[in-house]
Amino acid sequence: MAIEFGSLIGSDHASVVSMNLFVALLCACIVIGHLLEENRWMNESITALAIGLCTGFIILLTTKGKSSHILVFSEDLFFIYLLPPIIFNAGFQVKKKQFFRNFMTIMLFGAIGTLISFWIVSLVGAIHFFEKMNIGSLEINDYLAIGAILSATDSVCTLQVLNQDETPLLYSLVFGEGVVNDATSVVLFNAIQSFDLSHINLSIVLQFFGNFLYLFISSTLLGVLTGLLSAFIIKKLYFGRHSTDREVALMILMAYLSYMLAELFYLSGILTVFFCGIVMSHYTWHNVTESSRVTTKHAFATLSFIAEIFIFLYVGMDALDIEKWRVVSNSPGKSVGVSSILLGLVLLGRAAFVFPLSFVSNLTKKSSQEKIGIKQQVVIWWAGLIRGSVSMALAYNKFTMSGHTSLRGNAIMITSTISVVLFSTVVFGLMTKPLVRIMLPSPKHLTRMLSSEPSSPKSFTLPLLSNGQDSEGNNGRQTIPRPTSLRMLLSTPSHTVHYYWRKFDNAFMRPVFGGRGFVPIVPGSPLEQSVNQWH
Amino acid sequence: MAIEFGSLIGSDHASVVSMNLFVALLCACIVIGHLLEENRWMNESITALAIGLCTGFIILLTTKGKSSHILVFSEDLFFIYLLPPIIFNAGFQVKKKQFFRNFMTIMLFGAIGTLISFWIVSLVGAIHFFEKMNIGSLEINDYLAIGAILSATDSVCTLQVLNQDETPLLYSLVFGEGVVNDATSVVLFNAIQSFDLSHINLSIVLQFFGNFLYLFISSTLLGVLTGLLSAFIIKKLYFGRHSTDREVALMILMAYLSYMLAELFYLSGILTVFFCGIVMSHYTWHNVTESSRVTTKHAFATLSFIAEIFIFLYVGMDALDIEKWRVVSNSPGKSVGVSSILLGLVLLGRAAFVFPLSFVSNLTKKSSQEKIGIKQQVVIWWAGLIRGSVSMALAYNKFTMSGHTSLRGNAIMITSTISVVLFSTVVFGLMTKPLVRIMLPSPKHLTRMLSSEPSSPKSFTLPLLSNGQDSEGNNGRQTIPRPTSLRMLLSTPSHTVHYYWRKFDNAFMRPVFGGRGFVPIVPGSPLEQSVNQWH
């Protein structure tokens, strides 16, 4: 006790050691990820996963097989602290024009596609194979849950292998699908937990769809309203007049509030915080000072970045958790069999919706440029195969009691999920970058590779002036033809919706909530300074 | 269960409600604090404290006196998550030249002053008064602890009432003292907990001072080393070439790592993270891209800002905790008496070192400009009277078992500490701003009040170009006379130290670790871009 002189932390010293190790590993992931960046196969997720696996292995050796992780996997940690910044940042940085132009396709993939994948994995595949294999005591709910768990694609890892500037259409499709898919699979999962599915009838199916619609619409509305409220408050109070910190703090807190409010009302926090991010980048971001813009843009990205690495490090370390493997170790063949079957079902389930739904989506498009080509469909299919942290979190929620399980069936499901996550992240993840290069060689991409000057020069000026929506502001009116008849509305619905939305946005929304070019120039206000600064 | 459709958070719904309420209150504090900013009495801390008190009162009414807070006070939350960003940001934003020029005075106030204050509050005051008053079963260790608890000034609140630009000398003295004081009182407190003080002899006193010196030096070294390591890594790897997020993430993680490492080695995390902040702003900050500079500057300030509001909201809400008040409610007079005595001792204890030590400090200064005038001494005395979150956390640590107590003596100590904290924060806090204006009316201050253009225009350009160290860079060599003899070293020791430090810094440190003007200009490197951008 005499040496415990400066320390004040109440918890035991072992947890301080764990935290040190974990923070040091996070730093190591960043440095090693940076060193491997030029490598054409690797990405930050795989690096973190590999470091996590190595560390888990070392801990396993030093503790003589007793433990492999330094932090116990906690769903709360994941869903309350790590997921919100990632999804919010995704909404904040997404190219809104691309996203909304492809909105119908994204919804088709994200909602209908996930349901098809779920149906194939659980009801067509797992239930038939596993009932013959005699794996513990699994019920219909367990089969359905495994379907929902393995329908959740890992948008985090996917985003690291696709590039928003090189393949904008693909990026927005895969990424948008990922967000809607996250929400859909979580909703599905909860529906399975709460509904009695032993006797399905029409009323239950209708109730399920009704609930899904209610959830989707109300979550989106909540996110939009919170975002608008933040824009309104900051515009009215001119925070920038006094303090950048106050603006940034308010944006962070209100974004987090939107997520927690959704949880409060039993809605989908993921959807809410995603749409809150979109609204904040469209309105709020334009109402703050220049320094706040740079700060929020990079601070949100950094938080998201740290959370991503944290998750993969965590998953890698937790994958070796000896407790679950010991339960299944007496039948290794069965475990490998289950994992392989699930992996096959994932491949099949995704193929079963990407190609047919792309065909459906192409029917509504006139120009061949907007259509999704067969090579692009293959990339979409492949990039969405990765299963990640959401699957892990859902599997832990379903098949363990606060991280522990002793039932053989549950242990097999957990270890199989871990196997699918590891295999898909490492193998599919490693092969996505090369696949994109082979399938879609773009001239832009080559120039970027050859150029010695990287993307950082634009990181200071471009985000401020364009934010990647260059053609959205004033050119919007020229590029979109004015719809003159009902026929036009039917033939190009998304363009028409976009046209009327811009009209409404300019006439009503921006004057009230602020936004690019619609913050009145007041002496000493943020905008005037920025105008003076740049011209 | 059927309605719990989108939610995935494992913990109970009550904690989700609490988190919502708390985040909403944080937002309210920011907005109300902004509205009251023009008010000459208020500051953000008092606003948060008042909102916390009101909310606590409302919760007390709605729960019919059962509870007054929505989150249980946790030392871990405070010392692991809230304090580090505040202290790190303090080190990161401090004007280094002022700080090091007054280093000896700061150490005098922070270390010796705290010991004098501790000695007066505990051994001269409390022990004599309280032994006659018959308050529960208090031992010598308890009296010593209360002295250490009430020697911890609240640097957070103090900083809000003093202005770095208006009163630079005062700010650096009071602020620097606050940081050293935080460390000293925590060290004192831990020493009291671990030493057997019933029979004090010379060896224990020597051991105590030895430990203090070891702790101070090793904590400082650890902070400096971690900061230098971060500078070295970022300089060597040119993170800016690829990603702003990676640089910012690494800075945040390494800063946090320094704090946790200090806790790992039983050192003072407060001192470590403070010096890590100073080193990072001197070296690391100059090695990153422009966007990273803006982002880190404001992101650290924002984190610190949120943590500060969080603490005061928390303290306000916790002040009404009915459990402790119930224990002391049968002797209200005694409780008021104890609080008043402690408050008097705090006033006396601070007066007993500010005026004598200022006199000592003035003896070493030649020019009258550098001397601390009597009016300034009064302000220093007054501004440091505020007791805050560190006192609360220490009191909880000493007198409760995880937030609960049933012993009467302990309950009185807790409620008295709360009373002193509330009274000093509200009354002394409210009166500091007007006092500074009366005692030290500055022309600068008046122009700033009259000018309609506020401080935000500089918030974008100035932090990048000067960071408040305008005269530090190239002018340093001109303003500081070259010491030609030993006499010079004796007469102006701090200037001489500064001169040799600058020589060493320019010749060895900056070429290795980077820093202003010493990052080599490489095509595509952060600096070249910034140079192109600004010229």
Side-chain angles (χ1 to χ4, degrees), chain B residues 213-235:
Chain B
L213 271 183
Y214 156 75
L215 197 82
F216 193 91
I217 292 167
S218 48
S219 301
T220 304
L221 272 182
L222 181 64
V224 170
L225 287 179
T226 322
L228 287 179
L229 183 66
S230 78
F232 188 74
I233 289 176
I234 289 182
K235 181 159 179 277

Side-chain angles (χ1 to χ4, degrees), chain A residues 1-11 13 15-17 19-20 23-24 26-28 30-31 33-35 37-38 44 75-76 79-81 186-187 189-191 193-195 207-208 211-212 215 233 237-250 252-254 256-257 259-269 289-292 294-295 297-299 301-303 305-306 394 397 453-457 459-461 464 524 528-529 533-534, chain B residues 1-11 13 15-17 19-20 23-24 26-27 30-31 33-35 37-38 44 75-76 79-81 186-187 189-191 193-195 207-208 211-212 215 233 237-250 252-254 256-257 259-269 289-292 294-295 297-299 301-303 305-306 394 397 452-457 459-461 464 524 528-529 533-534:
Chain A
M1 190 66 185
I3 57 155
E4 200 172 313
F5 215 60
S7 172
L8 255 182
I9 292 177
S11 49
H13 200 242
S15 71
V16 174
V17 175
M19 284 188 75
N20 266 296
V23 177
L26 284 174
C27 293
I30 295 176
V31 172
H34 172 80
L35 292 174
E37 197 179 42
E38 298 297 312
E44 219 104 32
E75 291 156 53
D76 274 9
F79 282 109
I80 297 184
Y81 301 109
V186 170
V187 170
F189 181 79
N190 278 317
Q193 304 266 62
S194 51
F195 277 99
Q207 204 186 337
F208 174 78
N211 263 325
F212 179 75
L215 197 82
I233 290 176
L237 295 182
Y238 279 129
F239 275 102
R241 201 159 40 107
H242 302 286
S243 155
T244 288
D245 309 333
R246 220 172 258 157
E247 291 175 340
V248 178
L250 203 70
I252 293 175
L253 288 173
M254 297 242 357
Y256 195 64
L257 188 63
Y259 186 85
M260 291 311 291
L261 276 176
E263 294 295 331
L264 184 69
F265 299 131
Y266 302 107
L267 301 174
S268 164
T289 55
E290 294 290 348
S291 355
S292 298
V294 181
T295 306
K297 190 155 193 75
H298 292 292
T302 304
L303 285 180
F305 177 66
I306 295 177
L394 291 179
N397 181 306
E453 216 161 321
S455 57
S456 44
S459 70
F460 191 58
T461 48
L464 300 173
E528 198 208 40
Q529 291 146 25
Q533 221 141 30
W534 291 106
Chain B
M1 192 63 186
I3 56 156
E4 201 175 311
F5 214 59
S7 170
L8 255 182
I9 292 176
S11 50
H13 201 241
S15 71
V16 174
V17 175
M19 285 188 75
N20 266 295
V23 177
L26 283 174
C27 292
I30 295 176
V31 172
H34 172 79
L35 292 174
E37 196 178 42
E38 298 298 311
E44 220 105 32
E75 290 156 53
D76 274 9
F79 283 108
I80 297 185
Y81 301 110
V186 169
V187 171
F189 181 80
N190 278 317
Q193 303 267 63
S194 50
F195 277 100
Q207 204 185 338
F208 174 79
N211 264 323
F212 180 77
L215 197 82
I233 289 176
L237 296 181
Y238 279 129
F239 276 101
R241 200 157 44 104
H242 302 286
S243 156
T244 288
D245 308 333
R246 218 171 260 159
E247 291 175 342
V248 178
L250 202 71
I252 293 176
L253 288 173
M254 297 234 10
Y256 194 65
L257 188 63
Y259 186 85
M260 290 311 292
L261 277 176
E263 294 294 331
L264 183 70
F265 299 130
Y266 301 105
L267 301 174
S268 164
T289 55
E290 294 290 347
S291 353
S292 297
V294 181
T295 305
K297 188 153 195 77
H298 292 292
T302 304
L303 284 180
F305 176 66
I306 294 177
L394 292 179
N397 181 306
S452 68
E453 216 162 321
S455 57
S456 43
S459 69
F460 191 57
T461 48
L464 299 174
E528 197 208 40
Q529 290 145 30
Q533 221 141 31
W534 291 105

